[in-house]
Structures are given as C-alpha cells and as structure tokens.
Amino acid sequence: MLQVKKFNLKAVLNPIFLLIFSALIFSNLTDQYLQKQVEELISSKDGLSNIIWFWGFISILSAILFPLVISLLCAFLLVSNQQKVENKMSVFFAENIELSLIEILRSMGKVFLWSFLLIIPGVIKYIDYLLAPFVVMFSKRYKNGEVDALEYSTEISKKFWWSIKLWVGLFYVIIPIMFYALFDELRVFSEHPISATALTFVESVIELLFHFIILKLFIKFLNNFENNLKNKIEATNGAYV
C-alpha cells in the first residue's frame, strides 16, 4: 500500500529536497537566460533571425523537462511504499521518466488542440490530465496495461474536481501572480543572487506543498479504488475455484 509522508520540517531537510531546490534554481536560471536571449533578438537592429526558433525550442524543452524532474523528485520524496520492494531513486527515475514524458507530451498535444476552441476548454483538459505522471509512477492498473494514463487521470480528477481546481488556481495562478507583483526584480539572479536564491527556496517549499496536497488526493483514490478492485477480483476468482 502506498502512503504519503507528512509535510513537515523533516521533509524540507531531506537531501532529496536539495535536489528539488537545485532543479528549480537551474530552471529559473535557464528561463532568465532564454528570456534575455529572446529580448536581445527582438530589440536587435538587424531584426529577427532564424535563431529565435532554436531558443524557442530550448524554451519548450525546458518547460517540459524541469517540471517533470521536479514532479518525480517530489513524488519520490513524499510517497513511500510500505512493502519497500525497492527504494532507490535511480530505479524510480529509470522506471518512470520515459513513460511520464510520453504521457506529458500526449496531454500537452490534447490541451493545445482544445485551446484552439477557447481558453477554458484547454484549462479544463489541463486539469483533467494533471495526474497523468502520477498514474505512470504509482498505478498498478497502468503498469499492467489495463488503463490509459490520460483517461485514468481524467477519471480520478473528476472525483476531486473542485479540490484540484481550487489548488491549481491557488498554486498556479494566485501565488505566481503575487510573486511576480512583489518580487519580480528580486528574482533575477544576475542582479540579486542572494534574494533570488532565497525566493527560489520558498518556491521549492511551495512546489513540494502542492505535490503533497495533490498526491494525498491521488494516493487516497488509488488505495481505496485499486485495492478494492483487487479484492473483488480475488473474491470472484475464489468463488469459481
């Protein structure tokens, strides 16, 4: 059975949290560097060049890979398997990173298509597919090939629709807007390295807290639904024996 660890000082002091913090620092540094490159291209007297496509590609790559790595780290730190079959982070990454990336790319493609209609349908689909990486990481039904990650994510998300929408609104909209309004200049590493590092630490704690809340909902569903389903199947098989 899966279990979500408590969110406390012990979690923040865990060495894995340092990796989450480091990943966010690299992510912010990369974003700021890419932003500077694009701004220089836009303001260039020679006009835009084809190199902007390269920076655009790197920007998209960064926007996909860094959140994925951070999610994997948060999930590994927060979720424990009571059976403890294997507890090595390298094994956890090797088993989940490729499939998680594939499902994220699938979800982004569908969200992009839905966003062509209106912004709201795209946002709804984004929330529906938010749990797809966790389906890859922790769902036995997915690992057994019984469910599609995006469809299963949608099914679970609808069970906690208002809760997930509330938390996504808080952590992905309200808090980032507050950070931008209050600390935008202080987040620039080249000008304010100390304050930028401190704010990134706060972002890391917030990121871990968001994953803790969402994983609590997700693991609750898995433990209740998949275990009950397994028990029903075993009971049915036993009745035929």
Side-chain angles (χ1 to χ4, degrees):
M1 180 180 289
L2 296 171
Q3 187 177 38
V4 180
K5 299 175 184 177
K6 293 181 180 179
F7 182 86
N8 50 26
L9 184 61
K10 185 177 179 180
V12 176
L13 295 177
N14 191 295
I16 298 172
F17 179 78
L18 180 60
L19 295 178
I20 297 170
F21 175 50
S22 301
L24 263 174
I25 283 184
F26 281 117
S27 176
N28 290 341
L29 283 169
T30 302
D31 288 344
Q32 290 174 20
Y33 177 78
L34 292 172
Q35 182 181 354
K36 183 179 179 181
Q37 296 301 314
V38 172
E39 287 176 353
E40 289 179 355
L41 282 172
I42 293 174
S43 61
S44 174
K45 294 180 180 179
D46 298 328
L48 293 177
S49 63
N50 290 332
I51 193 67
I52 195 169
W53 295 106
F54 170 77
W55 294 121
F57 172 76
I58 297 298
S59 180
I60 293 172
L61 199 62
S62 171
I64 295 172
L65 291 181
F66 279 116
L68 172 58
V69 170
I70 290 168
S71 287
L72 285 163
L73 289 169
C74 288
F76 183 80
L77 171 58
L78 291 170
V79 180
S80 63
N81 189 334
Q82 290 181 354
Q83 295 177 345
K84 294 185 178 178
V85 177
E86 182 58 74
N87 199 33
K88 290 184 178 179
M89 187 170 64
S90 59
V91 175
F92 181 77
F93 265 68
E95 290 179 347
N96 296 297
I97 191 166
E98 182 179 353
L99 286 174
S100 295
L101 179 59
I102 290 171
E103 299 299 349
I104 286 173
L105 292 173
R106 287 182 63 215
S107 67
M108 288 181 62
K110 292 194 175 186
V111 169
F112 182 73
L113 290 175
W114 277 91
S115 298
F116 265 123
L117 301 175
L118 285 171
I119 295 297
I120 293 178
V123 172
I124 291 173
K125 283 299 174 184
Y126 174 81
I127 294 173
D128 285 345
Y129 301 149
L130 182 68
L131 302 177
F134 304 135
V135 171
V136 174
M137 296 176 207
F138 302 115
S139 172
K140 292 180 181 178
R141 295 188 69 199
Y142 176 82
K143 294 182 186 299
N144 292 335
E146 299 173 13
V147 294
D148 176 84
L150 301 190
E151 292 177 1
Y152 202 33
S153 173
T154 301
E155 178 185 343
I156 301 172
S157 295
K158 291 188 184 303
K159 299 286 185 181
F160 307 103
W161 174 246
W162 290 106
S163 297
I164 291 178
K165 188 163 66 172
L166 171 67
W167 295 121
V168 168
L170 176 63
F171 284 92
Y172 281 14
V173 179
I174 296 175
I175 292 178
I177 288 175
M178 290 176 59
F179 260 74
Y180 180 82
L182 298 174
F183 310 115
D184 188 45
E185 292 185 2
L186 296 176
R187 296 175 68 238
V188 180
F189 280 90
S190 60
E191 297 179 7
H192 306 282
I194 296 176
S195 62
T197 302
L199 288 169
T200 303
F201 179 85
V202 175
E203 287 183 62
S204 303
V205 175
I206 293 172
E207 191 73 42
L208 187 64
L209 177 59
F210 173 76
H211 280 80
F212 169 77
I213 293 170
I214 298 300
L215 281 166
K216 284 278 285 186
L217 298 174
F218 179 77
I219 298 302
K220 177 183 177 181
F221 176 90
L222 285 193
N223 286 338
N224 290 337
F225 179 75
E226 292 198 352
N227 285 343
N228 289 340
L229 182 63
K230 180 182 178 182
N231 292 335
K232 287 180 181 178
I233 294 173
E234 290 177 350
T236 302
N237 292 337
Y240 285 107
V241 174

